[in-house]
Amino acid sequence: MFFPQFAWRLRILHLEPSETDHQRMCDVLGLDLPSLAIERIDTLAHFRQRLVDEPCDVVVSAFHCNGFNAMDAWEVLLGAPGTQPAFIVLSRSASEAEAVDAVRRGASDFVRKSALPELARVIVRALDVNRIRTAKEDSQAELVGSVQRSSELNEYLQKCIEAERQSIAREVHDDIGGSLAALKFDLAWIGRHATEPGVLDHVNAATEMLKHAIGASQRIVQDLRPPVLDQGIVAAVDWLAGSFERRTGVKTAFTTTHEVIHAPEDVQLVAYRTAQEALTNIAKHAACSEVRIDLSDGENVLTLEITDNGRGLTRAELEKPKTFGLKGLGERARTVDGWLDISNDGGVGTSIILSVPLAPVEGRMKTERLQT
């Protein structure tokens, strides 16, 4: 009699039109009447109210009640607040098909009244299963919440990073760039007025170093926040493609459906960073001879595809813990409600595809008219 030892800690609601059958169930469970552990309910309205007033651990329902059946009670239970209790159907006359349907629709178990002595064991089993299910649901909810919080944190960090990039780019361009330009003028003045060959040699050497520093500062500004983005995403990706080809010698073809593609600034920035990171990975790992970049906005979706004919990425490489670059691209895409696909063509070459939904063209035109 393991069940009665802890039955006082349970709260059982018994949906049963017959007082006699209720008494029989209490006797089987070892519960005296009246008991705080169990309560008989004979109307659906009363059942609905009791679920609101006080939580319970187990619901045992006769299949046929006055004006409703166990499945009607189950639907009420599904809509009730709080943790869902175990739900057991106890019946004398329900058919085999009705019993199967009850379990299929979510009931914890089905017991014939002729097998009433088994009810205690069924309740214990149902409580265990229900506890495991509840723990699983709680874990899943926590996981979903954790993923959501991680996504929100990543979006916040990406915005902070971009803001910091812009701030540093302005500092490099305005302060350092201005100082280097002034220094270049001073060196040019010294070069024009110096007469000693040794001084001229130092001036020329310093001028060459200065040119290198100016070029480096310009590259840093381009990487941090390229001014070409102000001309739109098409011009920016075109510039990236040309720069990549000049730097690496890899033949790079860029195609686009329109000379100008309208997209929100944050979407354009995500597309630019995706192309930038993809080309960086290609330069480091692909060992390819050709790269193709396609940019389009068909069906109100901005699509950027970067494809190379290199060695391709294996599944193991894509799933490596430290592939932060590619994983970061996926996170970036999600910040603008987009998604990223990475595929291999038979193990040769890699395609990185960014897709971001855009507002309908008519809506974009209205927004542009309002802004102008």
Side-chain angles (χ1 to χ4, degrees):
M1 297 298 291
F2 54 89
F3 178 74
Q5 294 177 4
F6 64 85
W8 62 272
R9 291 182 292 176
L10 298 177
R11 176 71 177 158
I12 304 173
L13 296 182
H14 185 200
L15 279 69
E16 173 59 63
S18 168
E19 178 65 34
T20 301
D21 283 353
H22 177 61
Q23 177 66 65
R24 289 184 61 228
M25 192 180 93
C26 291
D27 292 342
V28 166
L29 297 180
L31 300 173
D32 296 328
L33 289 179
S35 172
L36 295 177
I38 188 166
E39 178 182 359
R40 184 173 78 91
I41 295 176
D42 58 3
T43 69
L44 205 58
H46 188 197
F47 177 56
R48 183 179 289 107
Q49 187 59 48
R50 294 305 291 147
L51 291 176
V52 173
D53 292 342
E54 186 177 354
C56 65
D57 303 292
V58 184
V59 174
V60 179
S61 176
F63 192 86
H64 298 290
C65 299
N66 294 329
F68 67 98
N69 63 31
M71 291 299 93
D72 296 324
W74 171 248
E75 292 299 326
V76 170
L77 186 61
L78 290 179
T83 302
Q84 185 179 308
F87 186 84
I88 298 169
V89 179
L90 181 63
S91 178
R92 180 180 293 109
S93 59
S95 67
E96 189 71 24
E98 289 172 323
V100 171
D101 181 64
V103 175
R104 182 184 62 80
R105 291 171 62 179
S108 303
D109 214 328
F110 185 97
V111 180
R112 295 284 180 186
K113 287 188 176 180
S114 57
L116 196 58
E118 293 296 317
L119 182 59
R121 191 178 303 277
V122 170
I123 289 177
V124 171
R125 184 174 64 218
L127 286 170
D128 287 340
V129 171
N130 204 51
R131 190 179 301 110
I132 293 172
R133 177 185 59 80
T134 301
K136 182 179 179 181
E137 290 175 352
D138 290 344
S139 297
Q140 289 175 337
E142 178 60 30
L143 178 60
V144 170
S146 178
V147 171
Q148 179 65 27
R149 290 190 295 272
S150 177
S151 178
E152 291 172 354
L153 176 60
N154 179 71
E155 182 176 357
Y156 172 74
L157 290 176
Q158 291 290 353
K159 290 180 178 178
C160 290
I161 290 171
E162 290 301 336
E164 189 66 20
R165 282 174 178 264
Q166 291 188 35
S167 176
I168 295 173
R170 282 194 298 269
E171 290 292 326
V172 172
H173 180 271
D174 298 342
D175 192 354
I176 299 177
S179 298
L180 292 175
L183 185 57
K184 182 179 179 181
F185 286 123
D186 287 341
L187 283 174
W189 186 91
I190 293 172
R192 289 194 302 269
H193 292 82
T195 57
E196 296 182 15
V199 173
L200 286 174
D201 289 341
H202 281 289
V203 168
N204 291 333
T207 301
E208 288 301 316
M209 290 296 296
L210 186 59
K211 288 180 180 178
H212 175 76
I214 291 174
S217 67
Q218 290 172 343
R219 287 195 300 273
I220 292 171
V221 170
Q222 288 285 359
D223 288 339
L224 289 172
R225 181 59 172 84
V228 71
L229 260 180
D230 296 333
Q231 301 175 35
I233 186 59
V234 175
V237 175
D238 189 21
W239 177 84
L240 268 179
S243 176
F244 176 79
E245 185 174 61
R246 289 189 299 273
R247 188 174 70 254
T248 63
V250 176
K251 182 180 178 182
T252 306
F254 172 62
T255 60
T256 179
T257 52
H258 301 93
E259 291 185 3
V260 176
I261 291 179
H262 297 285
E265 184 177 337
D266 56 346
V267 173
Q268 295 190 53
L269 186 57
V270 167
Y272 179 85
R273 294 300 185 201
T274 299
Q276 187 180 43
E277 181 66 27
L279 291 173
T280 298
N281 279 324
I282 289 172
K284 289 180 178 178
H285 309 296
C288 65
S289 60
E290 293 183 6
V291 173
R292 188 179 71 252
I293 304 175
D294 299 302
L295 184 65
S296 65
D297 62 347
E299 299 182 354
N300 295 322
V301 175
L302 178 73
T303 303
L304 172 69
E305 182 173 359
I306 303 100
T307 305
D308 67 71
N309 66 346
R311 65 179 185 82
L313 287 170
T314 65
R315 177 58 56 185
E317 287 175 320
L318 289 173
E319 294 177 353
K320 280 168 54 177
K322 294 186 178 181
T323 53
F324 296 120
L326 294 177
K327 291 177 181 177
L329 292 182
E331 290 294 331
R332 276 187 181 276
R334 282 189 283 274
T335 64
V336 289
D337 298 324
W339 60 94
L340 193 79
D341 295 310
I342 302 175
S343 63
N344 291 332
D345 185 10
V348 178
T350 302
S351 290
I352 296 177
I353 306 172
L354 170 72
S355 303
V356 183
L358 299 173
V361 174
E362 182 181 352
R364 296 207 302 269
M365 291 174 66
K366 288 180 178 177
T367 301
E368 289 162 10
R369 285 198 295 270
L370 287 173
Q371 289 175 343
T372 56

